Amino acid sequence: MTRVFLVDDHAMVRSGVRAELGDAVEVVGEAADVAEAVAGVRATRPDVVLLDVHLPGGGGRAVLETLRAELPDVRWLALSVSDAAEDVIAVIRAGARGYVTKTISGPDLRDAVARVAEGDVVFSPRLAGFVLDAFAAGPAAPTPEPDVDPGLDLLSAREREVMQLLARGYTYREIGQRLFISVKTVESHASGVLRKLQLSNRNELTRWAVDRKLA
């Protein structure tokens, strides 16, 4: 049986993933941030790590970059709410064998884990094009760091997820369903995002995100 380690900063999401995987795998551990993930994966040496992209302490990419060379037999599958090209490409370049979004069905998730454990690569359908385009273009060339709005650094990982989904036109209810949180929690995060970025409404937020290629 495939041994799986879950990494996500929300206990409700980890519980939901456990339920969807059912008896198809053995879940050998969980972690909610980068430090816990590094320690837990080292201790359990699973076959597959299901890894969220946005985590406290540096993100999923930091976990990959810390452990990939040390544990070459461990395979990594990103499972994230984000479908942004930069997130997909970053974790694939860091060593993940696949990337699926949290809209994936239970049967498809179980299949993805099994395929990655066998050495295959797996992507949600619309994400494969990002990877093909990135690698067809060759190694990423060093580029100057873009100007970053100071407000962006004030947003938590969850607020960034809410911000991106708001900017893409999702309703509060749709965001709640994707992130496994209540509509009231989405509204609270949305208010925090607008306040921290000093924006007045969703239209301004959309323009702000598009200008910075975040949407």
Side-chain angles (χ1 to χ4, degrees), residues 166 170-184 186-187 202:
L166 284 171
Y170 287 89
T171 66
Y172 288 159
R173 183 175 298 278
E174 289 170 336
I175 294 171
Q177 290 171 344
R178 287 180 68 116
L179 300 181
F180 301 97
I181 57 179
S182 70
V183 173
K184 180 174 288 188
V186 176
E187 292 173 347
R202 288 186 62 165

Side-chain angles (χ1 to χ4, degrees), residues 29-187:
E30 298 182 4
D33 59 33
V34 170
E36 286 183 4
V38 169
V41 173
R42 275 179 175 152
T44 58
R45 296 179 179 263
D47 301 309
V48 177
V49 178
L50 273 174
L51 181 68
D52 194 7
V53 172
H54 299 292
L55 294 168
R61 182 178 178 181
V63 181
L64 270 162
E65 291 175 341
T66 301
L67 295 177
R68 185 187 175 200
E70 178 183 337
L71 301 173
D73 293 333
V74 175
R75 294 189 169 96
W76 306 80
L77 174 60
L79 175 64
S80 177
V81 69
S82 172
D83 57 4
E86 60 269 23
D87 287 336
V88 178
I89 293 166
V91 295
I92 296 303
R93 287 194 184 279
R97 297 289 296 176
Y99 192 118
V100 294
T101 62
K102 290 178 180 176
T103 57
I104 193 171
S105 68
D108 285 344
L109 179 59
R110 292 191 291 272
D111 180 65
V113 170
R115 288 171 59 191
V116 168
E118 292 169 358
D120 202 354
V121 294
V122 179
F123 297 97
S124 292
R126 70 178 297 271
L127 305 185
F130 297 156
V131 179
L132 290 173
D133 290 346
F135 283 87
T143 56
E145 287 293 324
D147 293 333
V148 177
D149 191 293
L152 190 59
D153 288 334
L154 299 176
L155 301 184
S156 67
R158 178 60 86 196
E159 286 173 334
R160 290 190 186 206
E161 290 176 335
V162 170
M163 177 269 293
Q164 287 183 316
L165 293 172
L166 284 171
R168 292 173 191 168
Y170 287 89
T171 66
Y172 288 159
R173 183 175 298 278
E174 289 170 336
I175 294 171
Q177 290 171 344
R178 287 180 68 116
L179 300 181
F180 301 97
I181 57 179
S182 70
V183 173
K184 180 174 288 188
T185 301
V186 176
E187 292 173 347

